């Protein structure tokens, strides 16, 4: 089986959809939210993708897992920002529902990938089961 890259992972592609929705919402927020909600929404949604990519590029399985866990945290952060936006009237319940469904789908994919990483334990033989920089 050849390595096709992180950009072919289903949960990565779904995260890209979420990023686009986050940027659309951020662009529509009022100026008073420019350095608050808008900035947080952009950073959290981008963090999902960036951490998936960085974790994918790591060799040791514990290092890979760490970045996938960070991506999962950024996913929760992104959803929370949409919840805040909905509660303040910046997006509607339908948009929040779509984000919730997409978030659940991404999380399921991330969790499955984490199980796969743990089962493979790449790097265990060479470096052991602990990372020195933790």
């Amino acid at each position: 089986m050849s390595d096709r890259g992180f950009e072919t992972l289903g949960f990565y592609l779904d995260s890209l959809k979420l990023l686009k929705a986050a940027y659309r919402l951020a662009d529509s927020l009022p100026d008073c939210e420019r350095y608050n909600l808008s900035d947080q929404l952009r950073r959290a949604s981008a963090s999902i993708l960036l951490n998936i990519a960085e974790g994918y590029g790591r060799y040791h399985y514990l290092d890979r897992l760490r970045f996938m866990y960070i991506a999962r945290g950024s996913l929760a952060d992104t959803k929370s920002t949409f919840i805040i936006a909905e509660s303040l009237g910046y997006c509607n319940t339908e948009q929040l529902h779509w984000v919730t469904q997409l978030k659940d789908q991404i999380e399921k994919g991330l969790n499955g990938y984490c199980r796969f990483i743990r089962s493979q334990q790449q790097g265990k033989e060479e470096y052991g089961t602990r990372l020195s920089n933790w």
Side-chain angles (χ1 to χ4, degrees), residues 14-134:
D14 288 339
S15 297
L16 194 54
K17 290 178 192 173
L18 183 58
L19 173 98
K20 290 175 183 177
Y23 268 69
R24 279 193 303 274
L25 177 58
D27 287 343
S28 72
L29 293 174
D31 287 341
C32 67
E33 293 294 351
R34 184 177 195 180
Y35 298 108
N36 294 317
L37 204 55
S38 180
D39 185 50
Q40 183 63 27
L41 193 53
R42 285 184 175 101
R43 286 185 295 109
S45 61
S47 177
I48 301 165
L49 292 148
L50 295 170
N51 279 290
I52 291 169
E54 183 153 1
Y56 190 90
R58 297 297 176 126
Y59 178 72
H60 196 277
Y61 77 102
L62 293 175
D63 216 8
R64 282 184 156 200
L65 284 172
R66 181 175 56 160
F67 284 97
M68 295 305 147
Y69 294 155
I70 294 168
R72 201 167 56 191
S74 295
L75 179 61
D77 190 353
T78 301
K79 181 185 175 189
S80 181
T81 309
F82 270 94
I83 291 169
I84 293 167
E86 191 268 341
S87 71
L88 295 173
Y90 298 141
C91 72
N92 61 41
T93 305
E94 185 179 307
Q95 289 168 309
L96 181 58
H97 180 69
W98 180 84
V99 166
T100 300
Q101 287 182 318
L102 188 56
K103 179 254 182 203
D104 292 346
Q105 188 173 318
I106 294 165
E107 190 170 48
K108 185 184 284 187
L110 266 169
N111 289 339
Y113 191 63
C114 287
R115 278 191 302 277
F116 171 75
I117 292 169
R118 278 193 297 277
S119 74
Q120 297 298 304
Q121 295 192 358
Q122 182 176 343
K124 179 181 177 182
E125 294 299 316
E126 297 93 329
Y127 303 106
T129 58
R130 294 185 64 195
L131 292 178
S132 62
N133 62 350
W134 278 28

Side-chain angles (χ1 to χ4, degrees), residues 1-13 52-53 56-57 64 113:
M1 185 163 117
S2 66
D3 185 4
R4 296 179 298 162
F6 65 85
E7 59 268 34
T8 63
L9 297 170
F11 60 92
Y12 180 86
L13 296 172
I52 291 169
Y56 190 90
R64 282 184 156 200
Y113 191 63

